[in-house]
Coordinates of all heavy atoms in Angstrom, one line a residue:
P1 N -26.8 -116.0 87.8 CA -26.6 -116.8 86.6 C -25.9 -116.0 85.5 O -26.3 -114.9 85.3 CB -28.1 -117.1 86.2 CG -28.9 -117.1 87.5 CD -28.2 -116.0 88.3
P2 N -25.0 -116.6 84.8 CA -24.2 -115.9 83.8 C -25.1 -115.4 82.7 O -26.0 -116.1 82.2 CB -23.3 -117.0 83.2 CG -23.1 -118.0 84.4 CD -24.4 -118.0 85.1
G3 N -25.0 -114.2 82.3 CA -25.7 -113.6 81.3 C -27.0 -112.9 81.7 O -27.6 -112.2 80.9
L4 N -27.5 -113.2 82.9 CA -28.8 -112.7 83.4 C -28.8 -111.1 83.4 O -29.7 -110.5 82.9 CB -29.2 -113.2 84.7 CG -30.4 -112.7 85.4 CD1 -31.6 -112.8 84.5 CD2 -30.6 -113.3 86.8
M5 N -27.8 -110.6 84.1 CA -27.8 -109.1 84.2 C -27.5 -108.4 82.9 O -28.0 -107.4 82.6 CB -26.7 -108.7 85.3 CG -27.2 -109.0 86.7 SD -26.1 -108.2 87.9 CE -26.2 -106.4 87.5
T6 N -26.7 -109.1 82.0 CA -26.4 -108.5 80.7 C -27.7 -108.5 79.9 O -28.0 -107.5 79.2 CB -25.4 -109.4 80.0 OG1 -24.2 -109.4 80.8 CG2 -25.1 -108.8 78.6
A7 N -28.6 -109.5 80.1 CA -29.9 -109.5 79.4 C -30.8 -108.4 79.9 O -31.4 -107.7 79.1 CB -30.5 -110.9 79.6
I8 N -30.8 -108.3 81.2 CA -31.6 -107.2 81.8 C -31.2 -105.8 81.4 O -32.0 -105.0 81.0 CB -31.6 -107.3 83.4 CG1 -32.3 -108.6 83.8 CG2 -32.3 -106.1 84.0 CD1 -32.3 -108.9 85.3
S9 N -29.8 -105.6 81.4 CA -29.3 -104.3 81.0 C -29.6 -104.0 79.5 O -29.9 -102.9 79.1 CB -27.8 -104.2 81.2 OG -27.1 -105.1 80.4
T10 N -29.6 -105.1 78.7 CA -30.0 -104.9 77.3 C -31.4 -104.4 77.1 O -31.7 -103.5 76.3 CB -29.8 -106.2 76.5 OG1 -28.4 -106.5 76.6 CG2 -30.1 -106.0 75.0
V11 N -32.3 -105.0 77.9 CA -33.7 -104.6 77.9 C -33.9 -103.2 78.5 O -34.6 -102.4 78.0 CB -34.6 -105.6 78.7 CG1 -36.0 -105.1 78.9 CG2 -34.6 -106.9 78.0
E12 N -33.1 -102.9 79.5 CA -33.3 -101.6 80.2 C -32.7 -100.4 79.5 O -33.3 -99.4 79.4 CB -32.6 -101.7 81.6 CG -33.4 -102.6 82.6 CD -34.6 -101.9 83.2 OE1 -34.8 -100.7 82.9 OE2 -35.4 -102.6 83.9
S13 N -31.4 -100.6 79.0 CA -30.7 -99.4 78.4 C -30.2 -99.7 77.0 O -29.3 -99.0 76.6 CB -29.6 -99.0 79.4 OG -28.6 -100.1 79.5
G14 N -30.7 -100.7 76.4 CA -30.1 -101.1 75.1 C -30.4 -100.0 74.0 O -31.4 -99.4 74.0
R15 N -29.4 -99.9 73.1 CA -29.5 -99.1 71.9 C -28.8 -99.9 70.8 O -27.9 -100.6 71.0 CB -29.0 -97.7 72.1 CG -27.4 -97.6 72.1 CD -27.0 -96.2 72.0 NE -25.5 -96.1 71.9 CZ -24.9 -94.9 71.7 NH1 -25.5 -93.8 71.6 NH2 -23.6 -94.9 71.6
Y16 N -29.3 -99.6 69.6 CA -28.8 -100.4 68.4 C -27.4 -99.9 68.0 O -27.2 -98.7 67.9 CB -29.7 -100.2 67.2 CG -29.3 -101.1 66.0 CD1 -29.5 -102.5 66.1 CD2 -28.7 -100.5 64.9 CE1 -29.1 -103.2 65.0 CE2 -28.4 -101.3 63.8 CZ -28.5 -102.6 63.9 OH -28.1 -103.4 62.8
D17 N -26.5 -100.8 67.9 CA -25.1 -100.5 67.5 C -25.0 -100.9 66.0 O -25.1 -102.1 65.7 CB -24.1 -101.3 68.3 CG -22.7 -100.9 68.0 OD1 -22.3 -101.0 66.8 OD2 -21.9 -100.5 68.9
P18 N -24.9 -99.9 65.1 CA -24.9 -100.3 63.6 C -23.7 -101.0 63.2 O -23.7 -101.8 62.2 CB -25.0 -98.9 63.0 CG -24.4 -98.0 64.0 CD -24.8 -98.5 65.3
V19 N -22.6 -100.9 63.9 CA -21.3 -101.6 63.5 C -21.5 -103.1 63.9 O -21.2 -104.0 63.1 CB -20.1 -101.0 64.2 CG1 -18.9 -101.8 63.9 CG2 -19.9 -99.6 63.8
L20 N -21.9 -103.4 65.1 CA -22.1 -104.8 65.6 C -23.4 -105.3 65.2 O -23.6 -106.5 65.3 CB -21.9 -104.8 67.1 CG -20.5 -104.4 67.6 CD1 -20.5 -104.5 69.1 CD2 -19.4 -105.3 67.0
Q21 N -24.3 -104.5 64.7 CA -25.7 -104.9 64.3 C -26.4 -105.6 65.4 O -26.9 -106.7 65.2 CB -25.6 -105.7 63.0 CG -25.1 -104.9 61.8 CD -25.1 -105.7 60.5 OE1 -25.3 -106.9 60.5 NE2 -25.0 -105.0 59.4
A22 N -26.4 -105.0 66.6 CA -27.0 -105.6 67.8 C -27.5 -104.6 68.7 O -27.0 -103.4 68.7 CB -26.0 -106.5 68.5
N23 N -28.5 -104.9 69.5 CA -29.0 -104.0 70.6 C -28.2 -104.3 71.8 O -28.2 -105.4 72.4 CB -30.5 -104.3 70.8 CG -31.1 -103.2 71.6 OD1 -30.9 -102.0 71.4 ND2 -31.9 -103.6 72.6
L24 N -27.4 -103.2 72.3 CA -26.5 -103.4 73.4 C -26.8 -102.3 74.5 O -27.1 -101.2 74.1 CB -25.0 -103.3 72.9 CG -24.6 -104.2 71.8 CD1 -23.2 -103.9 71.3 CD2 -24.6 -105.7 72.3
A25 N -26.6 -102.7 75.7 CA -26.8 -101.8 76.8 C -25.8 -100.6 76.7 O -24.6 -100.8 76.3 CB -26.6 -102.5 78.2
W26 N -26.3 -99.4 77.1 CA -25.4 -98.2 77.0 C -25.4 -97.5 78.3 O -26.5 -97.2 78.9 CB -26.0 -97.3 75.9 CG -25.2 -96.0 75.7 CD1 -25.5 -94.8 75.9 CD2 -23.8 -96.0 75.1 NE1 -24.5 -93.9 75.6 CE2 -23.5 -94.6 75.1 CE3 -23.0 -97.0 74.6 CZ2 -22.2 -94.2 74.6 CZ3 -21.7 -96.5 74.1 CH2 -21.4 -95.2 74.1
P27 N -24.3 -97.2 78.9 CA -24.2 -96.6 80.2 C -24.7 -95.2 80.4 O -25.2 -94.9 81.5 CB -22.7 -96.7 80.5 CG -22.0 -96.6 79.2 CD -22.9 -97.4 78.3
W28 N -24.8 -94.4 79.4 CA -25.2 -93.0 79.5 C -26.7 -92.9 79.1 O -27.0 -92.1 78.2 CB -24.3 -92.1 78.7 CG -22.9 -92.4 78.7 CD1 -22.0 -92.2 77.7 CD2 -22.1 -92.8 79.8 NE1 -20.8 -92.6 78.0 CE2 -20.7 -93.0 79.3 CE3 -22.3 -93.1 81.1 CZ2 -19.7 -93.4 80.1 CZ3 -21.2 -93.6 81.9 CH2 -20.0 -93.7 81.4
T29 N -27.5 -93.8 79.7 CA -28.9 -93.8 79.4 C -29.8 -93.4 80.5 O -29.5 -93.7 81.7 CB -29.3 -95.3 79.0 OG1 -28.6 -95.7 77.9 CG2 -30.8 -95.4 78.7
I30 N -30.8 -92.6 80.2 CA -31.8 -92.2 81.3 C -33.2 -92.5 80.8 O -33.4 -92.5 79.6 CB -31.6 -90.7 81.7 CG1 -32.1 -89.8 80.6 CG2 -30.2 -90.4 82.1 CD1 -32.2 -88.3 81.1
N31 N -34.1 -92.6 81.7 CA -35.5 -92.7 81.4 C -36.2 -91.8 82.5 O -36.2 -92.2 83.7 CB -36.0 -94.1 81.4 CG -37.5 -94.2 80.9 OD1 -38.4 -93.6 81.5 ND2 -37.7 -94.9 79.9
A32 N -36.8 -90.7 82.0 CA -37.5 -89.8 83.0 C -39.0 -89.9 82.7 O -39.5 -89.4 81.7 CB -37.0 -88.4 82.8
E33 N -39.7 -90.5 83.7 CA -41.1 -90.6 83.7 C -41.6 -91.2 82.3 O -42.6 -90.7 81.7 CB -41.8 -89.2 84.0 CG -41.4 -88.7 85.4 CD -42.1 -87.5 85.7 OE1 -42.6 -86.7 84.8 OE2 -42.3 -87.2 87.0
G34 N -40.9 -92.2 81.9 CA -41.4 -92.9 80.7 C -40.7 -92.5 79.4 O -40.9 -93.2 78.4
A35 N -39.9 -91.4 79.4 CA -39.3 -90.9 78.2 C -37.8 -91.3 78.3 O -37.1 -90.7 79.1 CB -39.5 -89.4 78.0
G36 N -37.3 -92.1 77.4 CA -35.9 -92.6 77.4 C -35.0 -91.8 76.5 O -35.5 -91.2 75.5
A37 N -33.7 -91.7 76.9 CA -32.8 -91.0 76.0 C -31.4 -91.6 76.2 O -31.0 -92.0 77.4 CB -32.8 -89.5 76.3
H38 N -30.6 -91.7 75.2 CA -29.2 -92.1 75.2 C -28.3 -90.9 75.0 O -28.6 -90.1 74.1 CB -28.9 -93.2 74.2 CG -29.7 -94.4 74.3 ND1 -29.6 -95.3 75.3 CD2 -30.8 -94.9 73.5 CE1 -30.4 -96.3 75.1 NE2 -31.2 -96.1 74.1
F39 N -27.2 -90.8 75.7 CA -26.3 -89.7 75.6 C -24.9 -90.2 75.2 O -24.6 -91.3 75.5 CB -26.2 -88.8 76.8 CG -27.5 -88.2 77.2 CD1 -28.5 -88.8 77.9 CD2 -27.8 -86.9 76.7 CE1 -29.7 -88.2 78.2 CE2 -29.0 -86.3 77.0 CZ -30.0 -86.9 77.8

């Protein structure tokens, strides 16, 4: 379904973009045993 994976990725790896003022998925994201980080 269109948009489904984009929604999941936003929940999984989203970070706030101050320019677009939206929470958007970011490819250089990790979560290690519950601790998340964006690079």
Side-chain angles (χ1 to χ4, degrees):
L4 173 57
M5 286 191 61
T6 302
I8 293 174
S9 68
T10 300
V11 172
E12 290 284 352
S13 63
R15 74 170 185 175
Y16 185 73
D17 187 304
V19 176
L20 298 177
Q21 297 185 345
N23 193 44
L24 303 172
W26 183 249
W28 322 140
T29 300
I30 71 169
N31 187 300
E33 298 185 340
H38 301 288
F39 296 88

